[in-house]
């Protein structure tokens, strides 16, 4: 699974780790995140992210 970087603040969403603060389980792909999920560091929407790994 690819990692995704926030273009606003540089936070990297690692699917292997998930987002425990938002209740996102490890191994949740970026595409499977809820549409209302936001960057935990700056609050940017999902559309502010770009893929950084493959």
């Amino acid at each position: 699974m690819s990692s995704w970087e926030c273009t606003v603040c540089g936070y990297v969403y690692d699917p292997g780790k998930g987002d425990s603060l938002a209740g996102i389980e490890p191994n949740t792909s970026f595409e499977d995140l809820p549409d209302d999920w936001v960057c935990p560091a700056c609050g940017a929407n999902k559309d502010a992210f770009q893929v950084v790994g493959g």
Side-chain angles (χ1 to χ4, degrees):
M1 280 187 275
S2 299
S3 294
W4 290 72
E5 182 178 12
C6 178
T7 60
V8 176
C9 73
Y11 169 84
V12 175
Y13 173 75
D14 179 351
K17 295 180 180 176
D19 178 4
S20 61
L21 295 176
I24 305 297
E25 295 290 326
N27 300 313
T28 300
S29 70
F30 186 82
E31 294 83 1
D32 290 337
L33 292 173
D35 289 337
D36 62 352
W37 181 84
V38 296
C39 177
C42 73
N45 293 325
K46 280 179 68 176
D47 59 4
F49 281 74
Q50 64 184 9
V51 68
V52 292

